[in-house]
Amino acid sequence: MDSTKARAAGLLFANSQGRVNTGSAGKASLDTVQFGLHAGHTWNAFGLYGGLAYARNTIQSKRRVSFADIDEGLSANYLSHTRQLFIEGNYRLNYDAWALQPYVQLAHVRVRNEGFSERGGQSALQGSKSSSAVNLSTAGVRFNLDLSQRQIGPSWLSFNAGMAYTHASGDLQPTTQVAWQGASSQRIAGAPLSSTVQLDLGAVARLSRGSTLSLNLNDQRGKRSHEQGVTAQYQYTF
């Protein structure tokens, strides 16, 4: 039986914006710049990939404090840094211009948050630096439609979609040391992480033999969270 093998490696740069809502009490917006590299190998339809990535996140948070005679809207701007290692195994099924790819993925993610100082009233907090680590186990499926394999539409364009379930373990409830002005610090917990379901829609334009430009929309829902995002990514593969 003939076997087909292929190796690939690449670099990526991405910029994305997203929003996180934790109920009526607070929300945050994120502007992320990400760099990474990946490498992989395929044996016929089976593929094995791995990589690492670094992201710099600019965060703007807002929350409402209402108790007794206090009703204040507080805000803060700060930075966080995300480092990630991952490995993935997948199996690709092709039919004409369509492709179906079930996969499993394991990832280790570490996040370091810089300190912050809230503004907006006497209940504003000052927070110290914090860090956390999470392990993510994902099972999902990807769909792809490549117009270069059909007689309709531009041949340099393809569309994709995906859905996945992710189980999270590790530091699921981030904590940090905070204090009111002039008071002693105390430890508080942020919104807990949970297992999630994610849906994705996207399009990829082939700019040259080794470079692509992609646009993706995603919607991720957990037990206590709901995130939506738009990602634009340029990728060069050699």
Side-chain angles (χ1 to χ4, degrees):
M1 180 178 65
D2 294 335
S3 62
T4 301
K5 299 180 180 180
R7 296 176 181 175
L11 303 173
L12 70 87
F13 168 79
N15 178 258
S16 63
Q17 294 182 338
R19 295 190 179 189
V20 178
N21 292 303
T22 57
S24 59
K27 60 183 179 180
S29 62
L30 299 87
D31 188 355
T32 299
V33 178
Q34 182 178 11
F35 303 90
L37 59 89
H38 65 90
H41 197 288
T42 58
W43 297 265
N44 295 320
F46 175 74
L48 184 64
Y49 297 87
L52 55 88
Y54 165 78
R56 182 178 184 271
N57 312 293
T58 302
I59 303 169
Q60 295 181 325
S61 64
K62 295 181 179 180
R63 65 187 183 97
R64 196 81 193 174
V65 176
S66 299
F67 65 93
D69 296 329
I70 296 178
D71 185 12
E72 298 175 338
L74 306 176
S75 63
N77 299 327
Y78 61 101
L79 296 175
S80 75
H81 309 271
T82 304
R83 294 170 176 84
Q84 174 177 289
L85 297 172
F86 77 91
I87 186 169
E88 175 184 307
N90 56 55
Y91 194 86
R92 187 179 181 91
L93 302 170
N94 295 305
Y95 179 74
D96 193 21
W98 297 87
L100 176 70
Q101 186 182 61
Y103 68 94
V104 292
Q105 185 182 100
L106 301 175
H108 178 72
V109 183
R110 304 187 70 89
V111 179
R112 180 170 63 87
N113 295 315
E114 303 292 348
F116 66 90
S117 295
E118 286 186 316
R119 306 175 301 275
Q122 59 181 331
S123 57
L125 296 172
Q126 292 183 338
S128 60
K129 295 181 180 180
S130 63
S131 61
S132 61
V134 177
N135 298 310
L136 303 174
S137 304
T138 301
V141 61
R142 303 184 182 102
F143 306 90
N144 189 75
L145 171 61
D146 188 350
L147 295 183
S148 67
Q149 305 298 318
R150 301 185 67 86
Q151 301 299 318
I152 60 173
S155 61
W156 47 267
L157 187 63
S158 63
F159 298 97
N160 57 77
M163 56 183 178
Y165 171 79
T166 299
H167 173 74
S169 63
D171 300 327
L172 299 185
Q173 188 157 28
T175 60
T176 189
Q177 295 284 346
V178 301
W180 287 289
Q181 186 174 3
S184 59
S185 65
Q186 57 184 316
R187 182 177 293 274
I188 64 170
L193 299 176
S194 63
S195 299
T196 60
V197 175
Q198 179 165 321
L199 300 176
D200 298 282
L201 293 172
V204 179
R206 288 176 290 276
L207 305 180
S208 65
R209 182 176 181 180
S211 64
T212 59
L213 180 65
S214 62
L215 179 67
N216 293 280
L217 310 176
N218 64 74
D219 185 284
Q220 185 180 85
R221 297 173 184 264
K223 185 176 181 180
R224 298 182 180 88
S225 64
H226 181 199
E227 299 182 27
Q228 294 177 314
V230 179
T231 303
Q233 176 177 298
Y234 173 81
Q235 181 171 321
Y236 178 75
T237 303
F238 55 90

